[in-house]
Amino acid sequence: MDVQGRGRADGADPADQWVLNPRTGEYELRSPKAPSGPVGPAVPGPRGPAGRVPPQRGRRTSPGEPPAGRRGRRPARKQNRAKKALLWTGGTMAFVLVAVGSAAYLYIKHLEGNVHTEDVGGAAKSSFSKDEAFNILVIGTDKRTGKGNEGYGDKGSVGHADTNILLHISKDRTNATALSIPRDLIVDIPDCPTKQADGTEAVVAGQQGVRFNRSLGESGRDPGCTMRTVKAVTGISPDHFMMADFNAVKTLTTAVDGVDVCVEHAVNDKESKLVLPAGESKVEGEKALAFVRTRHSFGNQGDLDRIKVQQQFLGSLMRKMASGDTLTSPTKLWKLAEAATDALTVDRAIGHVGTLKDIALELKKVPTKNISFTTVPVKDNPAETVRATVVVDESRGPQIFDLIRNDESLTEVKKAKAKEKAEVAARLKGTRSAAAEVRVRVLNGGAPAGSAQTELAWLQTEAGVLKSQNDGNAEAQLARTTLEYDPAQADQARRLADLLGLSGAAMKPGESVTNAQGLPTMTLTLGKDFKGAGVKLNSSSASTANVDKSTADKVQCAS
């Protein structure tokens, strides 16, 4: 007989068959052997009052009203089942959370093990800051490491700096600039302190007039040597480095299921083994590596044209990695995390998965339309006798270096060269003093080396100030650029100040100097606030479009 039957057989309300156990605090089924007669004195026992169950208390009921035990009371068995189910579910959830947390911890430790680090001493910062602008030097080596890479690069190469990109992320995360540095750029490599395997430090002697790619690998040079060379050439200090070999391109593109590329003409390159039809294609793995290594099928078959193709490829890879298709796929994110960590060698300060994640999240804040790709402006090496090499174009290079150093965006350079010339001409038209009559000498009083010459070149070629000359360094360094002029030259001074963006505080009425023709000449002294040739001092960006660049949001076809 079930509980309900037993209750009814005894003439008792079934609800009264459940009693509170004072030890457990839960309701239990009343023992069928319990006497149902009058309640007698309670005798203490292990289960409460021995032999008897306390009468159920409650208010009196009116005729026809259900007994108190039946109103709104959930059967105790169902209560127990619910409690057990809740406890079981909660326990299971806790177990799952602990298991997932442990798995996440173990996976992070696994990823930590993937990342290779190298101590480059003082060449890199000791920590990464999410609150400042930062520069990361990305180095691609030609060392034949990794499965299937025996046929790439130079046989027996120690790992030269074959592909080099200085990535600058602005402080406000509104823009980024990726500056490619040609491997065949002739530079002076400075002396380089390096860490040896036994923990000691040795200084590798520098070299003058050699290719940039020799800043890594040769004579034991480490990535810190390449970082120091970048600073010597551009004046920009890399904060950290990331170095990758051929495998990086293959594994990263495979992790995101391929990268879209475009070529204007069909490609069948015997050197790189790249075969593509004209138009758009998707490449990954070996084919992606062949694409970025192809040189003989694009442009004039030189390294500078290959750099442009690599920039287009990186822009497409960035778009793919930032796409919803990648970010919402746990499988792709897992593959990407594996590929990225396993492919990289980094400095010790960023050799942690958490730090690499922070860097990725900071870069993700920058809209792809504001990620600019450009290359160090170069010209043919005048001393070249055998193989093609290049040198920095001193008339254009410092401008880009200054923009990056001053945390200014290339995407804000909106004026085309022709438009700039037209605007300069418009400002000159109708004034009391034509630009051709402006006489000024330029001194360097605290600006980067070579600034006086680059500013002079801009004044003469872009602004039409033909009667200008470079008079070298000033006697003292100045915090701010100044223009000193004779009161009789006030009209010329105002015109020049307008062209340069000089404030009234920068205008210094005084005495002019006399040029070779015996005519009064103003003195423009470039201070530490100088932003680069053609960059107005009262503006946050350049007023000239003398920058060859592309942005990561635009699809371009290699030609």
Side-chain angles (χ1 to χ4, degrees), residues 114-193:
N114 283 352
V115 182
H116 308 280
T117 62
E118 189 162 349
D119 186 0
V120 293
K125 285 189 173 181
S126 58
S127 62
F128 171 73
S129 173
K130 294 190 290 185
D131 300 321
E132 300 294 334
F134 60 92
N135 303 312
I136 294 181
L137 180 61
V138 181
I139 306 171
T141 75
D142 60 356
K143 191 173 183 179
R144 293 182 171 188
T145 55
K147 184 179 179 181
N149 296 326
E150 298 83 3
Y152 300 133
D154 296 329
K155 185 176 181 180
S157 172
V158 292
H160 295 104
D162 195 53
T163 300
N164 310 278
I165 299 175
L166 180 62
L167 180 62
H168 171 79
I169 311 297
S170 70
K171 183 176 181 178
D172 60 8
R173 307 300 187 251
T174 61
N175 64 87
T177 301
L179 177 68
S180 293
I181 304 173
R183 66 177 188 179
D184 295 328
L185 179 68
I186 296 300
V187 299
D188 292 339
I189 300 175
D191 292 345
C192 176

Side-chain angles (χ1 to χ4, degrees), residues 266-270 272-277 281 283 287 290-291 294:
V267 174
N268 188 355
D269 194 291
K270 295 180 180 180
S272 68
K273 307 298 189 295
L274 178 67
V275 178
L276 285 179
S281 299
V283 296
K287 182 168 283 191
F291 182 82
T294 296

Side-chain angles (χ1 to χ4, degrees), residues 95-373:
F95 174 79
V96 170
L97 290 175
V98 170
V100 171
S102 299
Y105 172 78
L106 292 175
Y107 185 61
I108 288 174
K109 298 304 291 183
H110 161 70
L111 292 179
E112 294 275 11
N114 283 352
V115 182
H116 308 280
T117 62
E118 189 162 349
D119 186 0
V120 293
K125 285 189 173 181
S126 58
S127 62
F128 171 73
S129 173
K130 294 190 290 185
D131 300 321
E132 300 294 334
F134 60 92
N135 303 312
I136 294 181
L137 180 61
V138 181
I139 306 171
T141 75
D142 60 356
K143 191 173 183 179
R144 293 182 171 188
T145 55
K147 184 179 179 181
N149 296 326
E150 298 83 3
Y152 300 133
D154 296 329
K155 185 176 181 180
S157 172
V158 292
H160 295 104
D162 195 53
T163 300
N164 310 278
I165 299 175
L166 180 62
L167 180 62
H168 171 79
I169 311 297
S170 70
K171 183 176 181 178
D172 60 8
R173 307 300 187 251
T174 61
N175 64 87
T177 301
L179 177 68
S180 293
I181 304 173
R183 66 177 188 179
D184 295 328
L185 179 68
I186 296 300
V187 299
D188 292 339
I189 300 175
D191 292 345
C192 176
T194 59
K195 293 284 185 178
Q196 304 300 302
D198 60 1
T200 61
E201 187 176 277
V203 177
V204 180
Q207 285 182 279
Q208 294 184 336
V210 296
R211 282 180 170 80
F212 181 90
N213 67 344
R214 296 177 64 180
S215 64
L216 177 69
E218 287 193 11
S219 303
R221 293 190 178 105
D222 62 15
C225 300
T226 308
M227 297 172 74
R228 289 182 169 90
T229 303
V230 169
K231 183 177 180 180
V233 173
T234 66
I236 304 167
S237 298
D239 300 316
H240 306 284
F241 83 88
M242 293 182 178
M243 184 169 64
D245 56 22
F246 295 123
N247 280 334
V249 175
K250 294 193 290 186
T251 56
L252 286 173
T253 53
T254 300
V256 296
D257 290 343
V259 173
D260 297 323
V261 297
C262 180
V263 293
E264 288 188 1
H265 308 287
V267 174
N268 188 355
D269 194 291
K270 295 180 180 180
E271 298 290 333
S272 68
K273 307 298 189 295
L274 178 67
V275 178
L276 285 179
E280 295 186 1
S281 299
K282 180 179 289 187
V283 296
E284 65 177 281
E286 295 287 347
K287 182 168 283 191
L289 179 59
F291 182 82
V292 298
R293 293 189 68 250
T294 296
R295 181 176 62 185
H296 297 285
S297 296
F298 302 129
N300 61 7
Q301 303 185 18
D303 190 50
L304 295 179
D305 287 296
R306 179 167 62 175
I307 286 175
K308 292 181 181 178
V309 174
Q310 292 172 346
Q311 291 173 349
Q312 294 164 10
F313 173 85
L314 288 174
S316 181
L317 177 60
M318 286 183 175
R319 291 193 297 273
K320 187 63 177 286
M321 291 173 67
S323 68
D325 181 52
T326 298
L327 297 178
T328 57
S329 170
T331 301
K332 288 184 180 179
L333 289 175
W334 174 77
K335 290 181 180 179
L336 200 55
E338 288 282 350
T341 53
D342 193 47
L344 295 175
T345 297
V346 300
D347 58 276
R348 288 189 173 183
I350 62 173
H352 308 280
V353 171
T355 307
L356 292 174
K357 177 206 68 175
D358 289 341
I359 292 174
L361 291 177
E362 294 305 306
L363 180 57
K364 186 176 180 294
K365 295 177 182 178
V366 183
T368 54
K369 67 178 181 179
N370 290 339
I371 300 177
S372 302
F373 293 95

Side-chain angles (χ1 to χ4, degrees), residues 403-422:
L403 288 171
I404 295 174
R405 189 166 49 244
N406 293 321
D407 195 25
E408 295 176 12
S409 171
L410 298 189
T411 56
E412 296 177 5
V413 183
K414 300 178 180 179
K415 299 178 181 178
K417 191 172 183 179
K419 184 177 180 181
E420 169 63 17
K421 287 184 177 180

